[in-house]
Amino acid sequence: MTIAANNPELRSWVEVPANSDFPIQNLPFGIIRPTGKTARVGVAIGHYVLDLYVLASHGLLRELGFPKACYGSRHLNALMQAAGKSGMRALRQRISDLLNADNDELRGAELVRNEALIPSEHVDLLMPVRVRDYTDFYASEQHAYNVGCMFRDPDNALMPNWKHLPVGYHGRASSIVVSGVPLHRPKGQRKPPDADAPVFGPSTRLDFELEMGFVTFAGKPLGESISVAEADDYIFGLMLFNDWSARDIQAWEYVPLGPFLGKNFGSSVSPWVVTLDALEPFIVPGPEQEPEVLDYLRQDSNGHYDVALEAWIETPAGVETRVTESNLKHLYWSMRQQLAHHTVNGCNINVADMLASGTISGSEPHEYGSMLELSWAGSKPVALKDGSERKFIEDGDTVILRGHAEKAGVRVGFGEVRCQIQPAL
Ligand code: MN
């Protein structure tokens, strides 16, 4: 499929720096709150955001036919519900046309332009979607193998089911926060290896997980399934996703029903939803799946995405160190397979459900997507630029995830998600 808005030749009349995550080929959607105004839908372009409520108020989005209130909403849910996949695609195309260097419709309407195009430092970026349900997968083979080695043993690292289905669990939507919102270190039960009984207190093994989450449109009625071939029609876009994890709480509680309080105290997401359409130029083949998967998980075309991912730790004094470099293409199970598996039993998805990938680790140690793996359960401290070391995340540390795809001179990025860890309450 050729998507006109992805054309690498397109240029905007808005100045976009060469290293920007947000050229005219991206146009991610978010919820902005300009100084002194209410929340509304925005689109990022270079160092600016475009206020879609202003555009709608001046009739510039009339041809799309969506209620104006959708653009003035606190979350993207209403717009996603009204527009669906084809409508959001048409809206992105309309924004692309309005920002195109060859188009004078908005550029020439000075009053509207000045009101709608806002320097990004003059807006707050809010949580873009009201997440209805959140599911976390475990779709990176290297990560599953590494954790299996540490929580069990290398001979028993991958469970017998792992290469037959995308393992996942239902997480907690209420504690998903947007970039910039701090979280407190969680408290809970843990059992020190040499102790006979568990103890209670703040987690001593707080960790990040470098993940990508995707946001869905409304799915099919309860009882029906979304196939691998249909999956793209139900995926709106992707966000950086830090699935905060307390490894000591997790290791003690996870048998036999899986993650619970070691995970549900918080997850952090980036504020811009990069559409699946914008990532279409960056599709790549995935790893060969052996043994062959069951028919309902088979994918006939390439369904992985080449997106470079990074995690950084910023110390309380403000020194940033990149601690890992991974890539979305390292996933064993594609997003299509995740969604097909999620719904194969008839489970229904709703608008703005969040499905996260699980930690994405590459095969090299510097590509591991969590401190658990980078420090190998605390046995190999990670050196930071200020000379200090980390086995896990300390109070006052800020973890930052960044990601972008690049091809043919076009960079489509996600911005960042940052979250500072504050002491336990
Ligand atoms: Mn996770």
Side-chain angles (χ1 to χ4, degrees), residues 134 136-138 143 169 209-211 241-245 247 263 267 356-359:
Y134 155 48
D136 196 29
F137 285 93
Y138 196 46
H143 172 70
Y169 69 96
E209 291 195 325
L210 174 57
E211 305 195 10
F241 194 94
N242 180 354
D243 183 32
W244 289 100
S245 299
R247 300 303 181 188
K263 298 282 189 175
S267 300
S357 60
T359 307

Side-chain angles (χ1 to χ4, degrees), residues 36 60 84 106 169 256 260 266 351 370 408:
L60 287 169
L106 176 59
Y169 69 96
F260 190 33
V351 71
S370 65

Side-chain angles (χ1 to χ4, degrees), residues 38-67:
T38 55
R40 69 267 322 272
V41 176
V43 166
I45 177 78
H47 288 321
Y48 292 83
V49 297
L50 192 62
D51 182 334
L52 299 201
Y53 188 69
V54 169
L55 297 187
S57 297
H58 289 87
L60 287 169
L61 304 177
R62 190 182 297 123
E63 67 193 61
L64 293 152
F66 312 138

Side-chain angles (χ1 to χ4, degrees), residues 87-137:
M88 289 306 287
R89 178 174 289 159
L91 176 58
R92 178 167 171 266
Q93 182 61 52
R94 173 64 176 155
I95 302 300
S96 175
D97 292 342
L98 288 171
L99 292 173
N100 193 311
D102 297 332
N103 186 316
D104 208 39
E105 196 176 348
L106 176 59
R107 183 190 205 174
E110 195 181 337
L111 287 178
V112 184
R113 186 191 72 206
N114 289 343
E115 191 186 353
L117 193 65
I118 311 167
S120 53
E121 61 267 27
H122 293 165
V123 302
D124 291 328
L125 300 177
L126 308 182
M127 181 71 191
V129 284
R130 189 166 66 82
V131 178
R132 298 275 297 266
D133 278 299
Y134 155 48
T135 300
D136 196 29
F137 285 93

Side-chain angles (χ1 to χ4, degrees), residues 134-180:
Y134 155 48
T135 300
D136 196 29
F137 285 93
Y138 196 46
S140 152
E141 181 176 2
Q142 188 69 49
H143 172 70
Y145 174 79
N146 289 346
V147 173
C149 286
M150 285 180 272
F151 278 34
R152 290 181 294 275
D153 63 82
D155 295 331
N156 190 25
L158 282 191
M159 288 302 207
N161 60 3
W162 199 89
K163 291 209 164 179
H164 295 281
L165 56 86
V167 169
Y169 69 96
H170 286 302
R172 183 83 192 161
S174 66
S175 55
I176 300 178
V177 297
V178 75
S179 180

